[in-house]
Amino acid sequence: MARHTIWSRKQVAARILQGDTLIIFHGQLLNIPKSWLDAHPGGTLALLHFVGRDATDEIEACHLEHTVALIPRYSIGTVELTDGFWAPLVPPIATGWVRRPSAADGTLQWHKEAVELLSDDPSNKFTPASSILLTENFSSTAKGQGPTLASLQPPPSTLSLEQQARQSRAYRELHKRVVDAGLYQTRYVAGYGPEIARYALLATLSAYCYRHDWLVPSAVFLGLFWHQLVFTAHDLGHMGVTHNWTADRIIATVIADYIGGLSIGWWVHNHNVHHLVTNHPSHDPDIEHIPFFAISPVFLDSLWSSYYKRTMPFDAFARIVLSVQHKLFYIVMAFARFNLYANSYAYLYQKYFDTRRATGGWWAWRLEVAGIAFFWLWFGGVLYGCGSWQRALVYLIISHAVTSPLHVQIVLSHFSMSTADLGPGESFAHRQMRTTTDVICAPAVEFIHGGLHLQVTHHLFPRLPRHNLRKASALVKAYAAEHGLTYAEFGFVAGNKEVIGTLRAVADQVRLMGTVARAEVEEAVEKRNADAVVKVVKEAVANGSAKAAVAGDVQCVSPAANGIPLVLP
């Protein structure tokens, strides 16, 4: 269709219902073909979450300039705007609809993988009226039908679309100021020079101590080496170092896979979704930690994860763990790296059976698999060289536990922030500032946090080299003050208290649910016993043997009926 075509909101909705992936970018209507949907470096979900929505800010924040210049090639026209902005639709994936090949002929058909869990208490801060959460669809009645025009209409929201549009325009001006200030230029010498020296020192100290059989210090230095090195892997995953996708991905693979044993492909796929749907309980994988953590009571409804494609069950095990999650927080964090291994290898395993394979084609996937094998070859040799399985186990645990402050730091930036879904009309900047906080840190020691304690600014500008985040944050704070937005930040200790408080609040609710459940069970048992008394008495009266019943079975049961003995005339 001609690019000068003007599309109405109703026409856009009709095409979405037919299965087209339509996204708005600077007033242009983009039709993303399936070939690119499958090959998109940011993953399929990064696109599906913005079907029917204006993704201008997200696209420009996450893509290089030369990539943004190529995007209009997918334009099939412009869209009708109301007062200068687009009234968003709800992406089908937000209501549990996805496209899957049919078993019969392989054609794509709509599949209802989850059902909406809408708010019945609009005043609840966790589930406002605009909230759409998902639970697994156990019914087959909706399969083969597809979403409807009604399902594309957003629930009522307290947000003003006009105000969100103003904030969006202001964010673009802020982005231009960041670009004009040269903050996208990587500081190779002043920024990465000291870091490379630090990496080399920690690796050397670990090797030196290991050679002298000082295993505990060696494990500590190795853990610190991994802890520091992952910050550069993070930069590379965001194309924030060389600003060339292939070069950054190769370097990142060497660091993450070969040296750290983690899949950079998995991390990028996971992290991109996190940046786009930050803190959404059904869509952000970075807060979906059932059965170990639940940062909102909504997780107690056994939500569906659109990322992991599974239910996050609030079962008996989760009930036990979550009731003490605030007490287990640091223990779980000490072993968090093992969870990263599990996610990494599951991702690579799944990609083996995926004809789309990993981003970048065969070479990226093969390079990663080779890297994981290399990692366990050298690290396995380190463990074997410890001399005994007991010493090897100590080395393994210490080296991994030392990296835990990194995991604590990352969750501090989100766990205590809002998890409410304010609807598809929320602007990119508003959502990031509502769901993210900084950890206050003195410049002299910010290398410990890798510069990523400035998470608010990082979430607004994901590709920004982290050595420039502090300068950029000053511009962001001015922007927030000008537009009435909250720039959240607190110290490391205060942040820990906030997170523990959030976990404790949900744990208290879990325990309360257990108390209520036990009371209901006791009430049901008492009612059952009372019903049994009445039944026996009625049978006894009918048989003319009421006295025998009273003297026998009924007398034994009747006290359970509210403690009142049954006396027959």
Side-chain angles (χ1 to χ4, degrees), residues 382-394:
V382 169
L383 295 178
Y384 182 79
C386 289
S388 68
W389 70 266
Q390 293 94 339
R391 284 157 59 91
L393 181 61
V394 170

Side-chain angles (χ1 to χ4, degrees), residues 53-70:
R53 300 173 58 185
D54 188 331
T56 302
D57 296 341
E58 288 82 355
I59 290 174
E60 294 190 334
C62 298
H63 294 81
L64 301 172
E65 289 185 6
H66 71 269
T67 302
V68 173
L70 299 175

Side-chain angles (χ1 to χ4, degrees), residues 119 121-133 279 281 295-299 415-422 434 502 505-506 509:
S119 175
D121 181 11
S123 62
N124 190 320
K125 68 175 183 178
F126 300 106
T127 55
S130 55
S131 176
I132 302 178
L133 300 175
N279 267 25
I295 63 172
S296 167
V298 301
F299 284 105
F415 269 27
S416 63
M417 301 302 289
S418 173
T419 59
D421 175 14
L422 299 188
R434 177 176 62 86
T502 297
V506 178
Q509 186 155 340

Side-chain angles (χ1 to χ4, degrees), residues 233-256:
H234 172 275
D235 299 346
L236 292 159
H238 278 296
M239 296 178 293
V241 180
T242 71
H243 310 291
N244 175 280
W245 187 91
T246 301
D248 278 359
R249 178 53 62 90
I250 291 175
I251 300 172
T253 302
V254 172
I255 292 175

Side-chain angles (χ1 to χ4, degrees), residues 514-527:
T515 302
V516 172
R518 284 193 297 271
E520 290 178 347
V521 169
E522 291 174 359
E523 182 179 351
V525 170
E526 291 180 357
K527 185 177 184 302

Side-chain angles (χ1 to χ4, degrees), residues 85-333:
F85 58 86
W86 170 256
L89 298 166
V90 175
I93 194 170
T95 54
W97 287 103
V98 294
R99 302 272 287 173
R100 290 182 181 176
S102 68
D105 55 10
T107 58
L108 290 177
Q109 294 183 352
W110 286 110
H111 174 81
K112 185 73 167 173
E113 65 179 7
V115 295
E116 304 95 319
L117 186 63
L118 302 177
S119 175
D120 56 0
D121 181 11
S123 62
N124 190 320
K125 68 175 183 178
F126 300 106
T127 55
S130 55
S131 176
I132 302 178
L133 300 175
L134 298 177
T135 57
E136 186 172 358
N137 179 29
F138 294 101
S139 172
S140 60
T141 56
K143 293 180 180 179
Q145 297 177 4
T148 64
L149 184 59
S151 69
L152 298 183
Q153 306 308 315
S157 174
T158 57
L159 296 178
S160 163
L161 291 180
E162 184 178 359
Q163 183 182 37
Q164 294 300 303
R166 285 199 302 268
Q167 290 179 357
S168 178
R169 289 191 293 269
Y171 166 76
R172 294 170 198 174
E173 294 175 1
L174 171 64
H175 198 171
K176 185 177 184 303
R177 290 200 293 272
V178 170
V179 173
D180 293 343
L183 298 181
Y184 272 100
Q185 297 177 10
T186 303
R187 295 163 58 189
Y188 292 109
V189 177
Y192 286 105
E195 293 206 5
I196 292 175
R198 192 179 306 120
Y199 301 156
L201 175 63
L202 292 172
T204 301
L205 288 173
S206 178
Y208 180 83
C209 291
Y210 185 85
R211 183 177 179 181
H212 288 78
D213 203 34
W214 304 333
L215 295 186
V216 171
S218 174
V220 170
F221 286 125
L222 179 59
L224 292 175
F225 173 61
W226 283 336
H227 171 271
Q228 287 289 303
L229 199 62
V230 75
F231 295 129
T232 297
H234 172 275
D235 299 346
L236 292 159
H238 278 296
M239 296 178 293
V241 180
T242 71
H243 310 291
N244 175 280
W245 187 91
T246 301
D248 278 359
R249 178 53 62 90
I250 291 175
I251 300 172
T253 302
V254 172
I255 292 175
D257 296 72
Y258 286 75
I259 300 178
L262 304 174
S263 166
I264 191 64
W266 160 75
W267 181 85
V268 169
H269 188 270
N270 174 289
H271 202 63
N272 283 337
V273 175
H274 162 67
H275 269 269
L276 295 172
V277 286
T278 310
N279 267 25
H280 193 296
S282 284
H283 304 301
D284 181 1
D286 274 15
I287 65 169
E288 297 176 341
H289 299 302
I290 295 287
F292 297 105
F293 297 130
I295 63 172
S296 167
V298 301
F299 284 105
L300 308 184
D301 287 321
S302 295
L303 300 182
W304 171 265
S305 168
S306 65
Y307 180 85
Y308 292 111
K309 301 299 180 187
R310 61 174 174 81
T311 296
M312 298 175 283
F314 179 55
D315 53 20
F317 179 72
R319 190 183 301 273
I320 294 172
V321 175
L322 296 182
S323 66
V324 291
Q325 61 175 349
H326 54 297
K327 298 179 180 179
L328 298 176
F329 176 66
Y330 295 108
I331 297 176
V332 174
M333 287 293 102

